[in-house]
Amino acid sequence: MKEVRIFERPRSMADVTTHYCPGCTHGIAHRLVAEVIDELGIQETTVGVAPVGCAVFIYNYIDTDMYEAAHGRGPAVATACKRIRPDLTVFTYQGDGDLASIGLAEVAHAANRGENITVIFINNAIYGMTGGQMAPTTLLGQKATTCPLGREAKVNGYPMRVAEMLATLAAPGYIARVSVAKPKFILEAKKAVRKAFETQIAGKGFSLVEILSTCPTNWGMLPVEATDWLVEKMIPFYPLGEFKVPE
Amino acid sequence: MGEKVLMKGNEALAEAAIQAGCRYFFGYPITPQNEIPEYMSRRLPEVGGVYLQAESEVASINMVFGGAGTGERVMTSSSSPGISLMSEGISYIAGAELPCVIMNIVRGGPGLGGILPAQSDYFQATRGGGHGDYRLLVLAPSTLQEAVDLTMEAFDLAEIYRNPVMILGDGFMGQMMEAVEFKPAPERKLPDKRDRAVGYRARRGKRALVKSLYLDPAALEAHNMKLKAKYDLMADRETRHESYLVDDAEYVVAAYGTTARIARSAVRLLRDEGIAAGMVRPITVFPFPYAPFQNLGSQVKEVLAVEMSCGQMIDDVRIGVAGKVPVSFFGRVGGVAPTVDEIAEAVRRLRKS
């Protein structure tokens, strides 16, 4: 029987073991980005910008030119790179602490200027690397090490819906929210990531894909429980879908 | 070329950067340096460059980080509070060994302080400002012509040492008008910008990684020692100063920047009175010219550091003098410049004491 290869590591993904915890979905999100880079044939001309947070080592996993930016500043770094080298494809990969908290100004203004870059935004409703502190995206009632009794609106405000907020701006080309918690979501997520990169390549402006992700370690759950929790708790508050598509 | 033009300091600095090959400017408005971004916003598109007004100084300096990573000539300009905001990014740029030029048109502080000229950010410029063991190459011009000349060289220096270079000016320099001539910088051998920049993977056959993270302590120590060796090399090769009437001076004024201009007149006034005064003027403040202070003649009775601060550069002067003679201080602050008479009188007082 002839052997047919049906699954392999994307060429844009380095052949190394990641440092992520069991059940963490960063690996899936990385893979989707790498697959899209491969499919579009842009590995040699793509530049990634790593965040501060669990995903800082994305620069070891995605095999393209890479920057490692200061916390939250990825969109500023990407802005300059793309303005100077419009021939390159430039993306940032940022968590919710990096993007929605300390870097909110940078992402909002990059979006508002319509910078022709792609942002992959991982929303797992918590700070991962620093050990489970509250994020701007932490759900009401969700426990974190800095809101041990659960997030309370009158103390900490409400979880922030980044995709919807940025979709109110005129300039962005593509904004979507997806998830990688279940196989059917992963297929949709892949399409969105691809659309985001295609938006950039077509010169249609800022693109952002918010990816709802799990953090079993800091949520204090088993990996499968975490995916269920994401579907039951996160998706009702953070609806999936496209909020802005290129004309 | 060869023609003198009357220009405002900030505009002369901006034009010098363009003539030095800078094509990318990222900045945020702050007084008293606004004419730099304004000039850039008009001129850069004319020469095929990009001017971008960022949402903050924090974003500006990170755009400079991103821009420098492409290997092109990038810069920003700001004034004291803005430089404070940029300090994190400057640390990352130094850590990632990226070349760029930062112009600091210093105003009075602390806090919002004021908008008038000061030299109160000497420590910030020469001791880091941001976190970690890093140094900037800091050029401190005294006249607009020197500011233009040093700017023409600054981009080369940044590329040679893969390090941010700061032009340390002050509000006087930014706002005054003077005749300047744009002369090309001395020719230097420069590294190929594509060696480490993003966007040249196919050509290089290897990806670029622009980063400052070294989690392994041995690797970070090695990185720190490599940076240290670079700063030592700068000290060895790039230290500059001007000695003015120092050979027979009994009283030596130490001053840099605009203050040195005023001090020069004071030295002349004192000489007319028969007082043997001289001046050592640091042109680089990092690396600091310790040698002229170490090598002061035995006739020197005292050194007077004069600054528009409460006494910052005086620390370096003391390191250089190393206790051989007394070092005293005269300064005006808050946007007030010392007058020629005040500096002369401060020297006369040394003689009486």
Side-chain angles (χ1 to χ4, degrees):
Chain A
M1 211 175 85
K2 192 164 169 271
E3 194 176 296
V4 180
R5 183 175 288 201
I6 57 166
F7 189 83
E8 61 186 344
R9 181 175 52 80
R11 206 177 55 246
S12 300
M13 193 125 200
D15 189 9
V16 293
T17 305
T18 72
H19 70 292
Y20 296 116
C21 302
C24 168
T25 45
H26 266 306
I28 300 173
H30 283 19
R31 190 188 162 93
L32 297 183
V33 172
E35 284 180 359
V36 167
I37 291 170
D38 280 5
E39 287 168 17
L40 297 173
I42 54 172
Q43 184 184 8
E44 301 225 305
T45 53
T46 293
V47 183
V49 183
V52 169
C54 288
V56 63
F57 288 123
I58 190 173
Y59 64 66
N60 288 331
Y61 308 143
I62 303 277
D63 183 15
T64 62
D65 281 355
M66 278 275 179
Y67 291 92
E68 164 244 298
H71 199 22
R73 318 302 175 208
V77 174
T79 290
C81 181
K82 184 73 181 186
R83 290 268 185 146
I84 294 175
R85 290 290 305 273
D87 56 314
L88 302 175
T89 303
V90 185
F91 75 95
T92 72
Y93 185 104
Q94 304 176 257
D96 40 18
D98 194 82
L99 182 143
S101 191
I102 196 166
L104 190 61
E106 281 74 15
V107 75
H109 285 277
N112 192 48
R113 289 189 303 264
E115 296 297 343
N116 201 26
I117 60 171
T118 297
V119 173
I120 305 297
F121 166 41
I122 303 298
N123 175 0
N124 59 12
I126 205 149
Y127 278 71
M129 188 175 69
T130 45
Q133 294 81 13
M134 186 188 69
T137 45
T138 296
L139 295 177
L140 289 181
Q142 183 187 343
K143 287 180 182 165
T145 58
T146 48
C147 54
L149 301 177
R151 182 176 187 161
E152 253 189 283
K154 69 175 194 300
V155 181
N156 306 115
Y158 292 84
M160 193 176 272
R161 293 187 182 100
V162 170
E164 288 88 334
M165 190 164 73
L166 295 181
T168 65
L169 301 171
Y174 182 73
I175 294 182
R177 183 183 291 116
V178 297
S179 174
V180 285
K182 302 281 177 188
K184 64 171 177 177
F185 295 140
I186 294 172
L187 297 175
E188 291 302 310
K190 167 82 177 284
K191 284 185 205 157
V193 170
R194 183 166 171 135
K195 266 195 198 174
F197 276 88
E198 284 172 343
T199 301
Q200 176 179 171
I201 290 164
K204 291 186 173 167
F206 182 87
S207 53
L208 178 142
V209 180
E210 176 174 339
I211 302 181
L212 301 183
S213 300
T214 61
C215 182
T217 300
N218 289 305
W219 290 357
M221 296 176 199
L222 295 170
V224 175
E225 289 170 4
T227 57
D228 291 339
W229 189 86
L230 187 153
V231 173
E232 285 159 25
K233 301 286 187 187
M234 284 183 78
I235 292 179
F237 188 83
Y238 295 115
L240 307 183
E242 292 181 324
F243 300 93
K244 211 150 190 208
V245 291
E247 283 158 21
Chain B
M1 295 297 160
E3 187 191 332
K4 287 212 167 198
V5 274
L6 183 67
M7 285 183 91
K8 195 170 189 176
N10 282 332
E11 297 192 336
L13 282 164
E15 181 57 33
I18 290 171
Q19 297 214 14
C22 174
R23 290 292 176 272
Y24 303 101
F25 181 97
F26 305 94
Y28 186 81
I30 183 170
T31 306
Q33 62 82 56
N34 291 315
E35 294 84 359
I36 300 177
E38 285 167 358
Y39 189 87
M40 287 299 198
S41 72
R42 186 169 73 243
R43 275 283 281 140
L44 278 173
E46 289 174 7
V47 293
V50 173
Y51 164 85
L52 184 58
Q53 182 165 321
E55 59 270 27
S56 66
E57 286 91 347
V58 174
S60 310
I61 197 69
N62 283 285
M63 289 174 184
V64 169
F65 178 95
T70 69
E72 300 299 323
R73 294 199 154 179
V74 300
M75 67 166 289
T76 187
S77 63
S78 192
S79 177
S80 311
I83 297 291
S84 292
L85 280 168
M86 290 183 182
S87 295
E88 177 201 40
I90 295 173
S91 168
Y92 277 70
I93 291 169
E97 294 191 85
L98 294 172
C100 71
V101 172
I102 300 156
M103 291 176 180
N104 184 3
I105 306 301
V106 179
R107 58 188 251 185
L112 206 46
I115 58 168
L116 292 176
Q119 293 181 317
S120 44
D121 297 341
Y122 181 90
F123 286 152
Q124 187 189 46
T126 61
R127 265 62 176 167
H131 60 283
D133 246 335
Y134 77 89
R135 301 287 191 159
L136 308 177
L137 208 170
V138 187
L139 308 173
S142 179
T143 64
L144 290 196
Q145 184 60 56
E146 192 176 35
V148 164
D149 293 344
L150 291 176
T151 300
M152 299 288 267
E153 282 187 68
F155 290 89
D156 287 351
L157 292 169
E159 287 182 10
I160 289 167
Y161 294 99
R162 295 189 185 282
N163 205 68
V165 173
M166 178 176 278
I167 305 284
L168 187 66
D170 60 57
F172 283 116
M173 215 170 283
Q175 296 300 320
M176 72 165 75
M177 289 186 82
E178 216 165 5
V180 293
E181 185 184 342
F182 295 92
K183 297 167 286 190
E187 195 103 350
R188 289 169 189 260
K189 195 174 172 319
L190 300 175
D192 187 335
K193 69 180 182 183
R194 294 165 296 197
D195 283 354
R196 285 163 58 171
V198 301
Y200 297 100
R201 181 173 175 147
R203 188 186 178 277
R204 194 171 40 222
K206 211 175 104 194
R207 74 175 184 143
L209 186 52
V210 178
K211 71 175 182 98
S212 61
L213 178 64
Y214 296 85
L215 272 188
D216 170 16
L220 183 55
E221 186 176 48
H223 180 57
N224 280 145
M225 295 317 289
K226 183 183 160 213
L227 294 179
K228 163 86 166 60
K230 192 166 78 171
Y231 306 143
D232 289 346
L233 190 65
M234 285 180 196
D236 207 32
R237 301 202 309 205
E238 306 301 341
T239 309
R240 294 187 213 183
H241 77 282
E242 179 200 0
S243 288
Y244 179 63
L245 304 178
V246 168
D247 288 348
D248 64 340
E250 294 179 350
Y251 297 94
V252 173
V253 173
Y256 72 97
T258 294
T259 305
R261 268 184 105 138
I262 305 165
R264 189 187 305 272
S265 302
V267 166
R268 276 199 297 263
L269 179 68
L270 290 162
R271 286 273 172 175
D272 289 347
E273 292 172 12
I275 298 170
M279 176 173 72
V280 173
R281 177 175 75 87
I283 298 170
T284 55
V285 288
F286 185 87
F288 188 83
Y290 294 112
F293 295 102
Q294 282 157 356
N295 302 330
L296 286 175
S298 55
Q299 82 287 351
V300 173
K301 296 194 168 116
E302 190 155 353
V303 174
L304 178 75
V306 182
E307 302 174 55
M308 290 190 286
S309 81
C310 290
Q312 300 193 13
M313 181 193 65
I314 188 173
D315 287 8
D316 277 327
V317 174
R318 284 201 177 107
I319 290 170
V321 171
K324 274 194 302 190
V325 291
V327 177
S328 50
F329 180 75
F330 177 73
R332 296 299 303 268
V333 289
V336 182
T339 65
V340 173
D341 285 337
E342 283 173 340
I343 297 173
E345 185 52 30
V347 173
R348 289 184 206 113
R349 275 201 302 272
L350 299 181
R351 296 178 77 219
K352 289 173 198 152
S353 59

